[in-house]
Amino acid sequence: MRRADRLLQIIQILRRERRPISGRTIASELEVSLRTIYRDIAALEASGVPVFGEPSVGYVLQDGYDLPPLMFSTNELEIVMLGLRMVGARGGKEINTTARDVVAKISAILPDAKRSEFWTAPLLAPGPEVLPKDGPVLLQLRGAMKVNCKVEILYHTADREPERRTVWPIVIAFFEYVRVLAAWCELREAYRYFRTDRMLEVNLLHAKVPRSRKRIYADWWHHEKMESKLGVDGMGAVARS
């Protein structure tokens, strides 16, 4: 790998990490010596790239650093197209349309050779034979998450009468045949999971979620990791039920 390419790759590694990343970790990914990484970090700093840190702590890239546009590699194009094909096959009409728009935008900025690689990426992601029947529910929940508002759902399961819940929507998981909303349930005062195809009604409330999206997502993700360590599979269990 040329040094210029390696410097750009180091910036990319730093951009994708939210916490300090050690020089040893970067060296391992790029398959070079730790001493080489130290020299490269020093070169980036000398050229004005806002890299902060030190060898014993790790390195971070200042938020908002604007890296000039980079051309996608063949591997990156394949993965991007795979993801868009997967989303398009499983996301319903509105998400499918958005995925096609993204494909068109990326194609428009690629040179001819890269555009051909992009369109003919050899990775496919066939969708399920039958998509979940959740109608406009998915769109309503996404809208609520964008403005960080509470929603009231009328939810039913096979073993009980439908009941209303006020929840703070956090994230929607796309399983092959169902979609599951992770949310904070005010009734249970705990994180709960709800299949979107079992929502009879979704009403956007004017009340804002009393936490920022960043904070509630971080709290939920910490909860998920702790549950996983204990062998609890809440979201997956709901999807299979």
Side-chain angles (χ1 to χ4, degrees), residues 213-226:
R213 273 208 54 77
K214 182 177 180 180
R215 174 63 183 277
I216 193 172
Y217 183 90
D219 289 348
W220 166 75
W221 186 241
H222 176 72
H223 167 81
E224 276 293 287
K225 290 193 292 185
M226 296 302 295

Side-chain angles (χ1 to χ4, degrees), residues 148-241:
N148 204 31
C149 279
K150 301 179 183 181
V151 296
E152 180 188 69
I153 63 174
L154 181 61
Y155 194 75
H156 80 97
T157 57
D159 58 346
R160 66 179 65 182
E161 290 294 316
E163 59 181 357
R164 293 191 180 276
R165 302 278 189 96
T166 297
V167 302
W168 308 350
I170 301 169
V171 66
I172 301 171
F174 286 68
F175 292 89
E176 186 171 8
Y177 296 107
V178 298
R179 295 150 182 160
V180 179
L181 172 72
W184 176 265
C185 177
E186 291 190 350
L187 177 65
R188 303 302 184 194
E189 296 186 335
Y191 293 109
R192 289 291 185 267
Y193 302 99
F194 306 92
R195 281 178 43 167
T196 58
D197 60 322
R198 293 177 178 170
M199 296 179 185
L200 303 179
E201 294 179 16
V202 173
N203 299 307
L204 178 63
L205 303 178
H206 294 297
K208 290 281 189 179
V209 172
R211 301 183 201 169
S212 68
R213 273 208 54 77
K214 182 177 180 180
R215 174 63 183 277
I216 193 172
Y217 183 90
D219 289 348
W220 166 75
W221 186 241
H222 176 72
H223 167 81
E224 276 293 287
K225 290 193 292 185
M226 296 302 295
E227 292 283 90
S228 178
K229 289 181 179 179
L230 295 175
V232 178
D233 184 20
M235 185 177 286
V238 170
R240 294 189 294 271
S241 64

